[in-house]
Amino acid sequence: MWWLVAAVGLGIPLVLTAMPEFGMFAVGAVAAAVTDSFFGGGIVAQVLVFVAVSVALIAVVRPLAARNRSRNPGLASGIDALRGRQAIVLERVDSRGGRIKLAGEVWSARTLGADQVCEKGQEVDVVEIDGATAVVV
């Protein structure tokens, strides 16, 4: 019974702090409770099961989570999400200005190069966003 109380007690900081280690300790406490209830293990066996399960989970899950986190870049939002997207030229775009349709919205635009010109209907790539102006190539 005390192991289940400990599991709930360890689950509370898991929710409050979002530290997955508390969840792994809570699973270890549940395993120790199972050892007591179903297998009749003494206190030494229960503590050993708690420690073994908790350490095994931390040793296996944390490296997997770290590897997965490093593989998945964060989601881009705002102007960062617009960089690299394609747009359609609505009005001729040159180094002084023009209009494009980007992500369903009309944007003012200018070309990256001073001698570059993009005609109406042409697809362009957004290199960066400069204020309210898209810089395209």
Side-chain angles (χ1 to χ4, degrees):
M1 181 68 153
W2 290 108
W3 284 111
L4 296 177
V5 172
V8 171
L10 289 165
I12 292 170
L14 167 67
V15 173
L16 295 176
T17 64
M19 290 180 60
E21 290 81 4
F22 285 112
M24 295 173 207
F25 288 133
V27 171
V30 170
V34 168
T35 301
D36 179 36
S37 298
F38 293 114
F39 302 111
I43 189 70
V44 174
Q46 294 170 33
V47 170
L48 288 175
V49 167
F50 170 74
V51 171
V53 170
S54 299
V55 169
L57 283 173
I58 289 173
V60 171
V61 174
R62 286 189 73 203
L64 290 174
R67 190 172 344 132
N68 190 36
R69 186 175 27 249
S70 68
R71 233 186 304 164
N72 295 333
L75 294 174
S77 63
I79 61 173
D80 292 331
L82 299 175
R83 289 189 190 114
R85 295 203 47 191
Q86 291 187 333
I88 302 292
V89 176
L90 299 176
E91 296 174 9
R92 182 176 192 260
V93 178
D94 57 22
S95 62
R96 294 175 299 179
R99 297 255 183 243
I100 61 170
K101 187 164 193 169
L102 172 61
E105 298 178 352
V106 177
W107 280 72
S108 60
R110 65 178 169 81
T111 57
L112 183 62
D115 58 341
Q116 192 176 18
V117 175
C118 303
E119 297 298 332
K120 182 178 178 178
Q122 183 179 349
E123 264 192 15
V124 293
D125 294 319
V126 177
V127 177
E128 67 178 285
I129 304 293
D130 182 20
T133 303
V135 181
V136 300
V137 291

